[in-house]
Amino acid sequence: MQKSLFRTWAGGKPGMIVLCVAIAVGGCTMTEGQQRTASGAGIGAGVGAAGGALIGALTGNVGAGAAIGALSGAAVGGAGGYITDQQAQRQQAQDDSAQLRQQNELLRLQLENEQLRQQQQQQQ
């Protein structure tokens, strides 16, 4: 009986159980950015494996095509997830900065008004 590439790599059933538990527990402690990166890598790996398997079937080596496709897809998907996270962080920083500028301007105007009111009271 031929063993699959995953079963050989994961060490059989115990290895698969450890791998699944590690993925499940690791997902609980990820930041939002890490989740985006891992999500992109997972989707990329799945799409890459499917595409690689199709190409591998045409060339006569489904397993190698799927493995190469999965690795390539994971790399591209992970990079895409990371870039998406960086853009989201940049946008959040810009939004925060705009809000702080508005608050600063409001405080400046309130202080100015208070000073004018005090000057008017002193003149009376």
Side-chain angles (χ1 to χ4, degrees):
M1 181 189 295
Q2 183 182 10
K3 288 186 175 181
S4 73
L5 177 65
F6 180 75
R7 283 195 144 170
T8 302
W9 174 75
K13 284 185 183 179
M16 288 177 17
I17 292 170
V18 169
L19 182 63
C20 289
V21 169
I23 290 171
V25 171
C28 297
T29 60
M30 285 189 204
T31 65
E32 189 176 329
Q34 291 169 333
Q35 288 173 353
R36 281 190 184 113
T37 302
S39 157
I43 293 168
V47 171
L54 289 173
I55 293 171
L58 297 174
T59 61
N61 198 344
V62 177
I68 292 168
L71 290 173
S72 301
V76 171
Y82 178 78
I83 289 168
T84 300
D85 178 58
Q86 294 302 304
Q87 289 175 337
Q89 286 182 7
R90 190 176 309 115
Q91 184 62 47
Q92 183 63 47
Q94 289 173 349
D95 292 347
D96 291 347
S97 177
Q99 185 178 8
L100 287 172
R101 279 194 304 273
Q102 277 183 322
Q103 290 173 351
N104 186 34
E105 182 63 16
L106 181 62
L107 289 172
R108 187 187 66 75
L109 290 172
Q110 287 174 345
L111 179 63
E112 221 174 78
N113 285 337
E114 181 63 27
Q115 288 172 343
L116 285 172
R117 192 164 28 113
Q118 285 176 359
Q119 286 175 356
Q120 288 174 349
Q121 286 177 354
Q122 288 175 356
Q123 289 174 356
Q124 291 177 356

